[in-house]
Amino acid sequence: MQSGISASQELHTAFQTLVSSEDQRGLICTITKESLTPLIVLSPATSSFSDDLSLLAPHIDPKVALYIILRRYASSETAPFIAITYVPDSAPVRQKMLFASTRLTLVRELGIERFRETIFATTKEELTPQGFDKHDKHVGLEAPLTEEEQSLGEVKRKEAEEGRGMNERKSHVSSGVNMPISDEAVQALKSLATEGGDSLVQLKINIPTETMELASSTSTSISALPTTISATEPRYSFYRYTHTHNGISSSPILFIYTCPSGSKIKERMLYAASSRSAVQVAEAEAGLKVEKKIEASSPEDISEESIDGDLHPKVEVKKAFERPKRPGRK
């Protein structure tokens, strides 16, 4: 889901200033009149990322969504910045959806290669030094170093990055979505194209790491989809529907996005914003061709009848207009 909003020239200019100015720690952005615009410059910057988070605290409102760009790593590195989408639970619903659906546009238009990581936050506590420590433990990233430690530890840091890259691959698709996907998930998607194998692959998002992972891979009949797809958590499901219609056999790949009403707000935001990425990953990395995309609140809303209706809509045959006969004429 994309919002159609783009980055303003003012934001491009402010970001370029941030890139070239070591005395700036970051930039707070918002959405104004269908454009991404700069709001506040976070400065002056010190050598401590944790200490500089105090610059951010006064601007965090529990009812207002924001985009936050922070320089977390040495400027000499290729990707020194992180992008944070802050969407508090108390923000207006429309604002939540707008910021969630535009978050990928922000990093894509400013240059995704400049961002080491994207983070989705819903509370002020997540944006404190303690919140980042907790996040780092989940993700397995090294904690930010001082300028001196960054210079001395550059080789070790790159070795650690390469080690992390062994277990997951980034999706390099045209939209610039920065959503890693596990090798296990890619392999399961590739096998879906093979007749006789599993027919249903369910992907889930690891919320702390924002990584797409394999939830399950099974052989399932279409009638069993409502009971096989998770009814308690959002899922991206890819289903090979082998069937016959009007004497013609086919096996189209369906993409089914389900998001139960009881899902947590952070899950709903992430899944809604990344559903397009899931399809692109399947097509670009697994070689699948998705024939139909289906969205439903609950797996119970999915049925063979509704899917057949989407794939093979009935063609209404219009009768030719018959002129009424004139009175008295037989």
Side-chain angles (χ1 to χ4, degrees), residues 49-296:
F49 174 80
S50 294
D51 289 348
D52 287 352
L53 289 176
S54 62
L55 297 170
L56 180 60
H59 307 293
I60 302 301
D61 188 317
K63 294 183 179 180
V64 179
L66 294 170
Y67 294 120
I68 304 162
I69 299 171
L70 296 176
R71 186 197 312 275
R72 195 177 184 192
Y73 305 95
S75 298
S76 58
E77 295 194 19
T78 305
F81 297 99
I82 60 173
I84 303 168
T85 301
Y86 171 66
V87 182
D89 291 343
S90 298
V93 173
R94 184 179 182 279
Q95 190 179 85
K96 290 179 183 178
M97 298 304 297
L98 188 61
F99 272 74
S101 62
T102 309
R103 62 194 292 264
L104 301 175
T105 301
L106 178 72
V107 294
R108 185 177 67 241
E109 294 207 6
L110 295 182
I112 196 168
E113 71 281 356
R114 295 184 181 275
F115 293 88
R116 175 83 67 92
E117 187 181 16
T118 59
I119 298 174
F120 199 104
T122 58
T123 66
K124 185 175 183 177
E125 288 70 28
E126 293 176 84
L127 304 178
T128 63
Q130 295 76 18
F132 274 95
D133 287 343
K134 184 177 180 180
H135 171 77
D136 290 341
K137 289 177 181 178
H138 279 300
V139 179
L141 292 174
E142 292 180 328
L145 308 175
T146 64
E147 293 294 328
E148 181 179 1
E149 289 171 327
Q150 287 171 346
S151 299
L152 294 174
E154 185 173 354
V155 174
K156 179 185 286 188
R157 190 162 55 250
K158 289 185 177 180
E159 289 176 347
E161 290 173 359
E162 291 174 359
R164 288 197 301 275
M166 294 290 288
N167 299 319
E168 62 183 32
R169 71 162 60 101
K170 299 270 185 173
S171 59
H172 298 289
V173 290
S174 59
S175 70
V177 173
N178 189 19
M179 176 67 75
I181 180 170
S182 68
D183 286 333
E184 184 184 21
V186 173
Q187 291 304 317
L189 289 172
K190 287 182 177 179
S191 66
L192 195 62
T194 306
E195 295 286 347
D198 289 341
S199 58
L200 175 66
V201 172
Q202 295 186 62
L203 302 185
K204 63 181 180 180
I205 294 179
N206 184 316
I207 301 299
T209 63
E210 295 195 18
T211 302
M212 274 190 282
E213 299 177 346
L214 177 66
S216 66
S217 180
T218 56
S219 182
T220 307
S221 65
I222 191 168
S223 60
L225 284 179
T227 56
T228 306
I229 296 175
S230 176
T232 58
E233 297 179 349
R235 285 288 185 268
Y236 298 140
S237 300
F238 293 84
Y239 183 62
R240 187 180 69 249
Y241 180 30
T242 301
H243 68 294
T244 300
H245 179 73
N246 289 342
I248 300 175
S249 296
S250 61
S251 299
I253 299 296
L254 311 179
F255 171 69
I256 306 171
Y257 164 41
T258 51
C259 188
S261 58
S263 303
K264 297 177 181 178
I265 185 65
K266 192 168 184 177
E267 290 179 332
R268 297 170 72 86
M269 297 296 102
L270 270 180
Y271 276 85
S274 305
S275 62
R276 186 177 177 185
S277 171
V279 173
Q280 291 175 320
V281 168
E283 294 180 337
E285 297 201 26
L288 296 179
K289 181 182 179 182
V290 175
E291 298 286 347
K292 194 69 180 179
K293 302 171 187 175
I294 300 170
E295 292 190 16

Side-chain angles (χ1 to χ4, degrees), residues 6-16 27-30 36-38 69 106 110:
S6 59
S8 65
Q9 184 56 52
E10 290 80 6
L11 179 57
H12 281 288
T13 301
F15 182 65
Q16 288 303 316
L27 191 63
I28 296 178
C29 315
T30 189
L36 290 162
T37 57
I69 299 171
L106 178 72
L110 295 182

